[in-house]
Amino acid sequence: HSKNDALNVLSKTHVSCSPGLKNCDGRLMCEVWKHRILTQDEAMKFRHGYWDEALGAISDSGLKRYLLERYGDGE
């Protein structure tokens, strides 16, 4: 979820067991993944996003209503 900073933003706790990532404290996990973990070839193919932001691309349908009811709209 786009508003879940506890998982989206790396903290000292997240990187405590990864010495190579200690200087990534406070950065977005998806950006660290793309630029520090993946090879250059893999990074060119990597696209990240959040499910709650993708809901806008789903037409107003039963699926969209179900997802909003089950998971909320993030507000």
Side-chain angles (χ1 to χ4, degrees):
H1 194 282
S2 64
K3 294 177 179 41
N4 190 349
D5 287 342
L7 291 177
N8 295 333
V9 179
L10 291 175
S11 68
K12 290 185 189 304
T13 303
H14 290 129
V15 299
S16 64
C17 295
S18 301
L21 298 178
K22 287 196 184 223
N23 63 344
C24 296
D25 177 32
R27 293 182 55 198
L28 288 173
M29 189 230 358
C30 59
E31 291 300 319
V32 172
W33 182 264
K34 183 174 184 175
H35 299 291
R36 298 286 305 263
I37 307 296
L38 300 178
T39 67
Q40 187 175 14
D41 231 17
E42 293 167 331
M44 291 176 60
K45 300 173 189 171
F46 178 74
R47 301 289 180 261
H48 73 277
Y50 302 104
W51 70 267
D52 61 314
E53 293 175 349
L55 286 175
I58 299 173
S59 63
D60 194 20
S61 64
L63 173 61
K64 185 173 187 174
R65 287 189 295 278
Y66 166 77
L67 292 171
L68 288 171
E69 182 179 315
R70 175 151 181 149
Y71 300 108
D73 63 1
E75 299 301 318

